[in-house]
Amino acid sequence: MASHIVGYPRMGPKRELKFALESFWDGKSSAEDLEKVATDLRASIWKQMSEAGIKYIPSNTFSYYDQVLDTTAMLGAVPERYSWAGGEIGLSTYFSMARGNATVPAMEMTKWFDTNYHFIVPELGPTIKFTYASHKAVSEYKEAKACLLDQSHTCCFLNLPRVWTNRSLSFHFLGSILPIYKEVVAELKAAGASWIQFDEPTLVKDLDAHELAAFTSAYAELESSFSGLNVLIETYFADIPAENYKTLTSLSGVTAYGFDLVRGAKTIDLVRSSFPSGKYLFAGVVDGRNIWADDLAASLSTLESLEAVVCKDKLVVSTSCSLMHTAVDLVNETKLDDEIKSWLAFAAQKVVEVNALAKALAGQKDEAYFAANVAAQASRRSSPRVTNEEVQKAAAALRGSDHRRATNVSARLDAQQKKLNLPVLPTTTIGSFPQTMDLRRVRREYKAKKISEEEYTNAIKEEISKVVKIQEELDIDVLVHGEPERNDMVEYFGEQLSGFAFTANGWVQSYGSRCVKPPIIYGDVSRPNPMTVYWSKTAQSMTSRPMKGMLTGPVTILNWSFVRNDQPRFETCYQIALAIKKEVEDLEAGGIQVIQIDEAALREGLPLRKSEHAFYLDWAVHSFRITNCGVQDTTQIHTHMCYSNFNDIIHSIIDMDADVITIENSRSDEKLLSVFREGVKYGAGIGPGVYDIHSPRIPSTEEIADRINKMLAVLDTNILWVNPDCGLKTRKYTEVKPALTNMVSATKLIRTQLASAK
């Protein structure tokens, strides 16, 4: 019985690639140094899978920044502004596309399906001339094959970039890109490849007949290239609709189909009702999106039921999707207590689970391994740490109300303006300021008890004072304290809430070199004590300008955590909302007049199927309203959203009933503004971002002024705010100060023009 892994985390167990990338970007190491780290990481991953007994091991799942950007490079789809002269795309052009450079902005970045991973969106248009410009897929296949020569049981499995997944690669361009795929396939065949995996997760979405016809046509065009090869098309993240399943399984040139049977459990019924004879089924029964140990008995039962449909020698045990969405290795967690640790499996452990299931299916069940798993599952179900009856009752009681504020937003904004007295086009930032090495050292030393609480408090106060002074000197209207005490916008809150556990090295890639360490929600959630009130009050005492209290919203805490899978997600979200509600009320009582409740991840949790949108948006928006439904009209509630496609949920955003929303806009080429051009009326305050903070590039005053004028063409002057796209923690002060200086200068320029026009 065979086993397969869809993909694997590429940052390394201790974030080795992150540090190598940032060293290279800072000019502290060479391209050769970076490649050495990458080569070592790839080899260690392949050997780890081989030694665990995995038969189908993927190559080309590694990336220096993003797998979709790798596809774009393979196709030579480089926008003109990067002045690429042709030939093999090098690191300079590649990273300029990803991050921008001193003279040109980066390409758009947005969320990958419903995950917290961000991909670089291809820019395709009439000026793009496709050409085979990156041989990464073939070179990494050859590298993997050489690495695993001594592992005779292993089949090196090439994971090709998706042909059709990104709908930016629209039908108009399919005819232009397919010849390049044919070239890649031919080179792989010449290099000895016998299996090729194409990832096509778009097939789990709602596709019309025209789109399905384009999909069929694309693979029909490639069919002759597949002669002598085994081809797997891998889908994941949700159920595959029946019509899409029928289209996929009708492809004559395809050998195997991979399905997510964790988030797509209904797909099992489709397989049972009709699976093509003689084809392979790659059954994704081990969850690639979470960190809970697999229920091996349940997965084995599912697999055994599929043996009645699929020939035993053609049933392959697999992960539900790439393991890049989970943490790397539980071995590195030395501080988690033994009980919770027994409930978990990171990527390295999931590889072992996959092979254990394959062996059990082949009649070689490891009884001791399965018995330990049964014991861990029972421990988690019965542990008193998981359940808090008081919390469950409070969450259940929420269902009787929609938790709206009593006064409409227009009246609230009038009351707030009388109290805050802000100028037209008020300026603000999103929350965080640069996290310097010194600041990280202070937090690290305090956590290690190398400095006292008094020394730590004084250091953080000093940092807040510096950030406040910078903002006052820049003449920003509504200030932030810079969040120097926070390691991460979710982890910081999770550490102060019950029902959460934390890892030391449970890092997951978010984009590029940026990694996050999601908390683990294992039980019912409550707030034992105030979490942010002290620091917000301290910051407000340093200035006469409004100081925002900064909170992470319940939906974002949920979507950016590893969430318990033993109750519906909305129940956990309501529990978090009640905890944040208490914090909001304490901030208001402490004199904080502006409170921002970030919901950066609300859009990314939207289900991939349209039929499930309404239910999710109902409980997600409701959860946000719960947090602030009890504040006074004069307390201004902000929220923030970033790096997603918002236009399709704009009415739900309005339904959140926040007083002000700041929202990413600049990197997505101002697509957000199109929804207002199309007639959507927005009555609350809104701050579409005026510059991209994920690029080191500093925008000019004129560029920002131009963006503000574009906003004023579709938004009323009295509701428009001016702010960056997102928080500033990943940037340097040498970038932040001039960028904010230009932002404020542009705002004052527009204010003067507006006053003159009057």
Side-chain angles (χ1 to χ4, degrees), residues 357-369:
L357 286 166
K359 289 175 70 177
L361 207 55
Q364 303 167 35
K365 186 176 180 182
D366 185 334
E367 296 292 350
Y369 183 76

Side-chain angles (χ1 to χ4, degrees), residues 414-600:
D414 288 343
Q416 292 155 15
Q417 178 59 15
K418 287 175 184 174
K419 193 167 186 179
L420 297 173
N421 194 29
L422 298 172
V424 66
L425 306 180
T427 54
T428 190
T429 63
I430 303 306
S432 61
F433 264 62
Q435 297 253 328
T436 63
M437 295 296 289
D438 286 344
L439 184 55
R440 294 176 190 274
R441 176 185 51 77
V442 166
R443 287 205 308 265
R444 192 167 57 247
E445 289 181 352
Y446 177 60
K447 198 167 187 177
K449 299 184 178 178
K450 292 181 179 179
I451 60 174
S452 67
E453 184 169 355
E454 182 181 3
E455 289 173 307
Y456 170 75
T457 300
N458 289 338
I460 298 298
K461 282 183 177 178
E462 186 178 334
E463 182 70 18
I464 292 172
S465 177
K466 180 180 83 172
V467 169
V468 169
K469 185 177 180 182
I470 288 171
Q471 292 172 93
E472 288 185 329
E473 289 173 349
L474 290 168
D475 203 19
I476 291 173
D477 301 306
V478 176
L479 310 191
V480 298
H481 77 291
E483 305 177 12
E485 78 284 10
R486 304 186 189 185
N487 45 10
D488 174 83
M489 65 182 288
V490 173
E491 185 176 10
Y492 176 78
F493 289 93
E495 286 174 340
Q496 301 181 78
L497 295 168
S498 64
F500 282 74
F502 301 89
T503 64
N505 289 289
W507 298 99
V508 179
Q509 184 184 18
S510 179
Y511 64 87
S513 68
R514 168 90 167 124
C515 299
V516 294
K517 191 150 59 73
I520 298 166
I521 305 178
Y522 67 84
D524 291 332
V525 177
S526 62
R527 185 201 73 147
N529 298 295
M531 302 179 285
T532 67
V533 177
Y534 174 77
W535 295 118
S536 292
K537 289 174 66 176
T538 297
Q540 184 64 82
S541 72
M542 296 176 180
T543 182
S544 60
R545 302 186 185 211
M547 175 63 64
K548 285 197 281 192
M550 302 300 304
L551 304 174
T552 303
V555 184
T556 296
I557 290 177
L558 182 89
N559 284 336
W560 286 357
S561 297
F562 290 124
V563 183
R564 57 190 295 189
N565 57 1
D566 59 345
Q567 70 177 14
R569 288 173 69 87
F570 70 83
E571 290 187 12
T572 302
C573 198
Y574 284 156
Q575 293 177 1
I576 302 169
L578 286 172
I580 299 299
K581 182 175 187 289
K582 290 182 179 179
E583 188 72 12
V584 168
E585 291 167 355
D586 282 351
L587 282 168
E588 183 183 54
I592 304 302
Q593 301 173 52
V594 182
I595 302 171
Q596 182 169 306
I597 307 166
D598 285 351
E599 283 297 11

Side-chain angles (χ1 to χ4, degrees), residues 280-440:
Y280 286 78
L281 171 63
F282 282 63
V285 293
V286 173
D287 193 353
R289 293 276 298 270
N290 219 322
I291 42 66
W292 303 109
D294 188 66
D295 184 338
L296 295 177
S299 292
L300 185 58
S301 176
T302 296
L303 292 164
E304 287 171 342
S305 73
L306 292 171
E307 284 187 311
V309 182
V310 184
C311 294
K312 193 162 188 172
D313 64 335
K314 288 182 166 54
L315 180 59
V316 180
V317 183
S318 185
T319 53
S320 66
C321 62
S322 172
L323 296 175
M324 66 178 284
H325 305 290
T326 191
V328 180
D329 196 341
L330 198 55
V331 168
N332 296 316
E333 301 305 324
T334 56
K335 295 182 180 178
L336 278 173
D337 67 68
D338 290 342
E339 182 181 37
I340 289 179
K341 203 170 179 179
S342 73
W343 303 342
L344 307 178
F346 291 178
Q349 288 69 47
K350 290 176 185 292
V351 169
V352 175
E353 288 179 336
V354 166
N355 197 57
L357 286 166
K359 289 175 70 177
L361 207 55
Q364 303 167 35
K365 186 176 180 182
D366 185 334
E367 296 292 350
Y369 183 76
F370 271 72
N373 179 263
V374 168
Q377 299 290 326
S379 161
R380 186 174 165 216
R381 283 192 296 269
S382 62
S383 174
R385 304 168 70 175
V386 172
T387 306
N388 182 325
E389 287 188 12
E390 184 179 338
V391 170
Q392 292 195 349
K393 286 179 183 176
L398 293 170
R399 296 189 177 94
S401 167
D402 63 4
H403 298 89
R404 294 183 183 275
R405 293 171 76 177
T407 311
N408 69 44
V409 69
S410 179
R412 297 197 309 262
L413 288 173
D414 288 343
Q416 292 155 15
Q417 178 59 15
K418 287 175 184 174
K419 193 167 186 179
L420 297 173
N421 194 29
L422 298 172
V424 66
L425 306 180
T427 54
T428 190
T429 63
I430 303 306
S432 61
F433 264 62
Q435 297 253 328
T436 63
M437 295 296 289
D438 286 344
L439 184 55
R440 294 176 190 274

Side-chain angles (χ1 to χ4, degrees), residues 78-118:
V78 182
E80 286 184 346
R81 65 181 178 275
Y82 298 109
S83 302
W84 174 59
E88 188 81 3
I89 290 176
L91 290 180
S92 177
T93 300
Y94 179 85
F95 287 133
S96 290
M97 293 164 71
R99 307 175 70 236
N101 57 43
T103 58
V104 293
M107 295 168 68
E108 180 186 350
M109 180 170 71
T110 196
K111 296 289 176 69
W112 178 244
F113 290 79
D114 59 347
T115 75
N116 185 30
Y117 178 77
H118 304 66

